[in-house]
Amino acid sequence: KQEVTQIPAALSVPEGENLVLNCSFTDSAIYNLQWFRQDPGKGLTSLLLIQSSQREQTSGRLNASLDKSSGRSTLYIAASQPGDSATYLCAARRVTGKLIFGQGTTLQVKP
Amino acid sequence: NAGVTQTPKFRVLKTGQSMTLLCAQDMNHEYMYWYRQDPGMGLRLIHYSVGEGTTAKGEVPDGYNVSRLKKQNFLLGLESAAPSQTSVYFCASSPMGAPPHNEQFFGPGTRLTVL
């Protein structure tokens, strides 16, 4: 059974700092892995999707990596801004298309 | 193009009451999903549908029923609400096809409180 874990549950950093969010999964037979952002009281916004054959994906200040052999993915945020404050969720996608979500990391970037 | 919409946005029920949550999508997607999100638990799949007239159980289906009478709508029903069903409910839809072409698009959520 696929389990997805995100550590830490919460993170607070000063503005401008580079940071890494971690996501681990137990079953390496994933099709791809996706990172989402969720603002308080809102739905999910897709940030990055990494195929199982890829090592990383980049979008602006965000960079996501994937290491299937070790069951890990990281989301790197460069030069963090207060507007980056949100909950970040990772989800592993099975071949069937079903998503298995982690619990999320709540990020606060202080001005 | 509204994407995925959910009705209502908020609801408070008493234990034992029933209600239906409505999800609608205008992207002609084949697949639709209902998730619940609880603190510290991430999103968990309740039920899903791979096409009009078909439904299937997800990870946590007990206490819920669903119907997909029209392709664009996916209804989630609670026949007898319990406090354990207090949660935020998200609907998602995706086109048919192999990943990543079946990327899921999420609605804004419904916040349900059962007293």
Side-chain angles (χ1 to χ4, degrees), chain B residues 84-97:
Chain B
S84 61
Q85 294 177 304
T86 293
S87 187
V88 181
Y89 292 85
F90 287 99
C91 176
S93 72
S94 67
M96 189 168 56

Side-chain angles (χ1 to χ4, degrees), chain A residues 72-85:
Chain A
R72 292 185 60 194
S73 177
T74 61
L75 179 67
Y76 174 83
I77 303 177
S80 58
Q81 302 170 358
D84 294 330
S85 298

